[in-house]
């Protein structure tokens, strides 16, 4: 419950250099309670990263399991991501920068952003192509999705982002069908 409030607060306000006192006031608790539950700011950020990433991993897994066509699973996952991008994308990219700077509390994010997502996309593509090719397509789709999400987060242009994903999906489908 408290972690959900913290995640929601960060999604609305960002992490930046937020102190535990500021966060505590924002979520209606005390600095002492945050320290009791999480230990430190770094441990709190670790918990936030794990919560957000696990929810997204589960969503991707669900879409892959429900769709026999990996392009359909990808389209459904894109819709899910795009629908939540206004609040999710800024937090996602901010915490990604923490991982890029190799902050210890963001190590989980580094792993999830590579392994979990690539694993889900690779699993979907293995239904229609070889394992090596599935892995390459998974990385390509992940990179494209991140780029379009970043563009949409900056511009707010959902229609252009959806069109780019649709065009890219058609390119991948043609590539897979013609091999």
């Amino acid at each position: 419950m408290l972690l959900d409030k913290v995640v929601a607060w960060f999604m609305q306000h960002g992490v930046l250099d937020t102190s535990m006192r500021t966060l505590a006031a924002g979520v209606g608790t005390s600095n002492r309670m945050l320290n009791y539950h999480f230990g430190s700011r770094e441990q709190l950020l670790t918990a936030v990263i794990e919560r957000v990433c696990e929810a997204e991993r589960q969503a991707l897994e669900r879409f892959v399991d429900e769709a026999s066509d990996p392009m359909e699973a990808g389209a459904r996952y894109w819709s899910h991501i795009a629908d939540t991008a206004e609040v999710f994308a800024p937090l996602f990219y901010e915490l990604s920068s923490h991982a890029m700077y190799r902050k210890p509390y963001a190590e989980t994010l580094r792993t999830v952003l590579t392994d979990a997502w690539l694993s889900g996309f690779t699993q979907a593509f293995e239904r229609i192509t070889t394992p090596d090719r599935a892995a390459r397509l998974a990385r390509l789709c992940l990179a494209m999705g991140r780029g379009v999400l970043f563009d949409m987060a900056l511009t707010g242009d959902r229609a252009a982002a959806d069109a780019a994903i649709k065009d890219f999906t058609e390119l991948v489908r043609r590539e897979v069908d013609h091999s």
Side-chain angles (χ1 to χ4, degrees):
M1 179 81 143
L2 180 58
L3 181 56
D4 292 334
K5 288 180 181 180
V6 168
V7 169
W9 195 90
F10 280 141
M11 284 185 161
Q12 183 177 3
H13 302 282
V15 174
L16 302 172
D17 58 356
T18 300
S19 70
M20 294 287 272
R21 289 194 196 312
T22 300
L23 179 62
V27 299
T29 191
S30 68
N31 183 40
R32 188 174 68 78
M33 287 307 291
L34 287 178
N35 284 317
Y36 173 79
H37 284 287
F38 301 105
S40 68
R41 183 176 188 272
E42 289 76 20
Q43 289 171 311
L44 180 137
L45 290 173
T46 297
V48 167
I49 288 166
E50 289 173 352
R51 173 65 58 94
V52 170
C53 289
E54 179 60 19
E56 291 308 309
R57 187 197 59 73
Q58 287 177 357
L60 174 59
E61 191 174 272
R62 185 178 68 250
F63 294 131
V64 168
D65 287 346
E66 291 173 354
S68 60
D69 176 17
M71 303 324 159
E72 178 188 331
R76 290 183 64 210
Y77 187 62
W78 168 256
S79 290
H80 162 76
I81 292 294
D83 288 346
T84 62
E86 189 173 325
V87 293
F88 172 74
L91 180 62
F92 171 80
Y93 285 108
E94 183 178 4
L95 292 174
S96 293
S97 72
H98 294 209
M100 289 177 215
Y101 282 112
R102 305 244 189 256
K103 301 289 185 183
Y105 57 84
E107 189 60 35
T108 300
L109 184 61
R110 290 179 58 80
T111 302
V112 169
L113 289 179
T114 54
D115 298 345
W117 269 262
L118 285 175
S119 174
F121 287 130
T122 300
Q123 177 188 357
F125 280 116
E126 283 177 342
R127 295 176 182 169
I128 60 170
T129 191
T130 66
D132 286 344
R133 189 147 187 248
R136 288 192 310 273
L137 287 170
R139 186 164 300 275
L140 178 64
C141 289
L142 182 59
M144 178 66 175
R146 286 179 183 164
V148 173
L149 178 63
F150 188 78
D151 180 68
M152 186 176 74
L154 289 175
T155 66
D157 193 344
R158 169 76 185 263
D162 286 347
I165 291 294
K166 182 178 181 220
D167 290 346
F168 178 72
T169 300
E170 290 172 11
L171 287 170
V172 172
R173 186 178 299 281
R174 281 196 303 269
E175 171 65 22
V176 168
D177 289 347
H178 288 102
S179 60

